[in-house]
Amino acid sequence: MAYQEVATTGYGTRVGNSFKAIGSGILLFIVGTCVLWWNEGRAVKTEKMLDEAGSAYVEMENPSKKDASLEGELICGTALATTEDSLSDQQFGIGAKAISLRRSVEYYQWVEHAEEKKEDKLGGKEVTTTTYTYSKEWVSRPIESGQFKDPAYQNKNMVLTTVEDAEQYAENVSWGAYKLNESLIHSISSREGLDLAIAEDLLKQMDKSAQTAYERFYGVKKQPVEQPVETVVLSDSAKAVADSLKAVNDSINEAMAKAENKKDFEYIHQAGNVLYYGRVPGSPEVGDVRVTFEKVVPAKVTVMAVVDGDSFKPFKAKNGKRFQTLVMGKKSGDEIIEAEKEANNMWTWALRILGVLLVIGGLKGIFGFIETILKVVPFIAGIFGWGVGLVCTIVGVAWSLIVIAIAWLFYRPLLGITLLVLAGFLVWVFAFKGKDKLKELAAKAKEKSAKPAMTPVE
């Protein structure tokens, strides 16, 4: 049964909050405007830098041999990235010769989901109904269940142990006759599982600690049983997350079952690259912990950067923008530049959309008090709220186009003038066409509110 909380906000409080929101609306409007301006400059500078890099780079035919003539040149070449460094995880006494070593931790916990439903009442009050549901999920951090709203789920979470996520990188990674710098090393993504070989004495010690934690929370030791399926009402988004997590969990359990390095104690299980705290990995209980170990192994990579002695540094364009990259596999310089341009274009549009939404949201925050004042009659407020929202959207889009156009005037005047004309057209449509539409809506609202109530026929 879902747990619900109902809260009522009075008309005076709502009006006061709407006036307070004007300040945050102004701030949001300014932030959105700044994002739009900055993004256009960033996009143009990045594109010019990529054009400059695309015409300046040279192909490094043989990275296995140093070439003094390439000193200071922007190169593009492919070779095997490898290392002789040995990395170790001191906490678990394991290690490997690898470019990177990563430990990631998950906890099986009760998770609280909240869904709000707001309803306007005659007289200006607002009733908010919040429905809380709960489900067991693998999460990246322990959850404090003492703060849950439903008393039935409070203090239901525990963990058998706490382990921090950790990642470390080799300092010396060779690429042919050269060494990769730190930024390039971090770009290598050839991850694979690190088969565990944890000392048996350490496993027994961890097993004892986990047993103590388990019995402290659950009381007397229970026999391992298949966990019953609990019926929990979840929102669509929460259900989608739960389904994806279940698929990941099933694949991990399958891999653990097939692992050759499998070691099972009562509360500790080692298999493949997973260390599991809990009684039955295939049937997790609240408090179980799953630690996954991965390593980055040698791989063929393509580097585009400036040769700096026996290593590399970023390319610096005339406009000050810097560029260096490492991609997996063999790629040509043209392919890399084209991919970077596509990424730049994608980021430009994403930030444009974000900026426009911030501007529109800011305008709605500034003028939202108009709708709130009219909330004494929800129907009337709904019509005016729609009108205010429409006006804010049109003005927000027009303002955004003007900001973008002015920014582009500094870089590409022709496109900037085109955008200014488009923004002017939107303003004209709103000024001459939108005004008539709003008058029409207001007249309909007035007519509806003035219509006499129906009286029963005797």
Side-chain angles (χ1 to χ4, degrees):
M1 187 72 178
Y3 182 81
Q4 290 186 332
E5 280 187 342
V6 180
T8 302
T9 306
Y11 177 69
T13 302
R14 296 184 71 186
V15 172
N17 290 339
S18 69
F19 279 106
K20 291 178 183 177
I22 294 176
S24 58
I26 293 173
L27 179 61
L28 207 60
F29 179 83
I30 293 172
V31 170
T33 301
C34 292
V35 167
L36 290 169
W37 181 273
W38 167 82
N39 179 49
E40 297 309 317
R42 178 207 61 81
V44 173
K45 288 180 181 178
T46 300
E47 186 175 349
K48 288 184 175 180
M49 176 271 292
L50 291 172
D51 286 338
E52 188 178 335
S55 61
Y57 84 89
V58 295
E59 293 284 353
M60 180 179 277
E61 301 293 342
N62 186 15
S64 61
K65 184 179 179 181
K66 290 183 182 179
D67 186 344
S69 66
L70 294 176
E71 178 68 25
E73 295 285 348
L74 173 64
I75 61 90
C76 178
T78 303
L80 182 69
T82 186
T83 185
E84 293 299 319
D85 288 4
S86 292
L87 305 177
S88 62
D89 189 316
Q90 299 293 335
Q91 183 172 346
F92 294 94
I94 56 175
K97 187 182 290 185
I99 295 172
S100 174
L101 206 61
R102 183 170 73 172
R103 176 213 305 163
S104 55
V105 189
E106 298 169 285
Y107 303 86
Y108 199 63
Q109 302 278 272
W110 280 108
V111 179
E112 181 178 71
H113 304 277
E115 188 172 349
E116 280 189 353
K117 182 180 179 182
K118 297 178 184 271
E119 186 179 1
D120 292 322
K121 297 293 185 181
L122 196 63
K125 291 182 179 179
E126 180 183 61
V127 176
T128 303
T129 303
T130 307
T131 302
Y132 296 94
T133 56
Y134 301 83
S135 63
K136 295 175 182 177
E137 300 174 17
W138 287 102
V139 295
S140 59
R141 287 283 183 269
I143 295 176
E144 179 51 65
S145 56
Q147 305 299 319
F148 285 172
K149 296 294 183 179
D150 190 345
Y153 288 90
Q154 289 177 357
N155 301 313
K156 289 291 186 180
N157 277 340
M158 60 84 68
V159 291
L160 295 180
T161 189
T162 54
V163 182
E164 294 295 325
D165 290 342
E167 187 164 16
Q168 54 182 304
Y169 292 88
E171 293 183 1
N172 304 294
V173 177
S174 299
W175 184 80
Y178 298 85
K179 293 181 180 180
L180 298 180
N181 60 37
E182 183 178 357
S183 178
L184 296 175
I185 291 172
H186 289 197
S187 299
I188 304 173
S189 57
S190 51
R191 294 191 180 278
E192 63 178 41
L194 171 65
D195 284 338
L196 303 180
I198 301 175
E200 191 158 328
D201 288 344
L202 181 56
L203 289 173
K204 289 179 179 178
Q205 181 182 335
M206 291 188 292
D207 183 69
K208 185 176 180 181
S209 298
Q211 178 180 352
T212 301
Y214 184 93
E215 294 180 356
R216 185 186 303 121
F217 182 78
Y218 285 105
V220 295
K221 183 167 57 177
K222 302 183 294 184
Q223 291 298 318
V225 294
E226 189 72 22
Q227 295 296 302
V229 177
E230 303 191 29
T231 303
V232 182
V233 180
L234 295 176
S235 64
D236 292 341
S237 58
K239 191 180 297 183
V241 172
D243 289 343
S244 63
L245 290 174
K246 182 179 183 302
V248 173
N249 182 52
D250 290 344
S251 64
I252 291 176
N253 288 334
E254 183 180 351
M256 290 182 69
K258 296 178 180 179
E260 296 181 359
N261 63 337
K262 190 172 181 180
K263 285 186 180 180
D264 288 311
F265 293 85
E266 194 168 1
Y267 292 88
I268 292 292
H269 310 271
Q270 171 191 280
N273 67 322
V274 178
L275 180 66
Y276 193 96
Y277 292 76
R279 293 187 305 158
V280 185
S283 182
E285 297 177 272
V286 170
D288 286 7
V289 181
R290 190 166 63 193
V291 188
T292 305
F293 298 84
E294 293 177 306
K295 62 181 178 180
V296 171
V297 298
K300 182 182 288 186
V301 300
T302 300
V303 170
M304 181 173 272
V306 173
V307 177
D308 184 26
D310 64 348
S311 188
F312 300 95
K313 65 181 180 180
F315 168 76
K316 186 176 180 180
K318 293 176 182 177
N319 60 15
K321 294 283 287 186
R322 296 176 181 272
F323 171 70
Q324 66 174 351
T325 189
L326 179 150
V327 297
M328 304 304 297
K330 181 176 177 58
K331 299 287 183 182
S332 69
D334 290 345
E335 287 176 323
I336 291 176
I337 294 296
E338 185 61 31
E340 290 290 333
K341 286 185 176 181
E342 289 178 3
N344 180 47
N345 188 53
M346 181 187 70
W347 273 110
T348 300
W349 278 104
L351 290 170
R352 279 174 183 162
I353 293 171
L354 174 63
V356 172
L357 292 177
L358 288 173
V359 167
I360 294 173
L363 290 172
K364 287 182 177 180
I366 294 170
F367 297 103
F369 70 92
I370 299 175
E371 180 183 358
T372 305
I373 289 173
L374 296 173
K375 287 291 185 181
V376 286
V377 183
F379 173 73
I380 301 296
I383 293 178
F384 275 87
W386 181 86
V388 170
L390 177 63
V391 172
C392 289
T393 300
I394 294 173
V395 173
V397 171
W399 174 260
S400 299
L401 289 174
I402 290 171
V403 172
I404 292 172
I406 294 174
W408 274 90
L409 283 174
F410 288 96
Y411 306 103
R412 297 182 182 177
L414 183 60
L415 183 56
I417 292 171
T418 303
L419 289 176
L420 281 174
V421 171
L422 179 58
F425 175 74
L426 287 175
V427 171
W428 178 83
V429 169
F430 166 67
F432 291 95
K433 302 294 183 182
K435 194 181 296 182
D436 295 336
K437 185 66 175 176
L438 288 177
K439 285 180 179 179
E440 182 183 336
L441 288 171
K444 285 182 179 180
K446 187 176 180 181
E447 181 183 339
K448 221 164 194 182
S449 61
K451 185 181 288 188
M454 296 290 290
T455 54
V457 179
E458 294 185 1

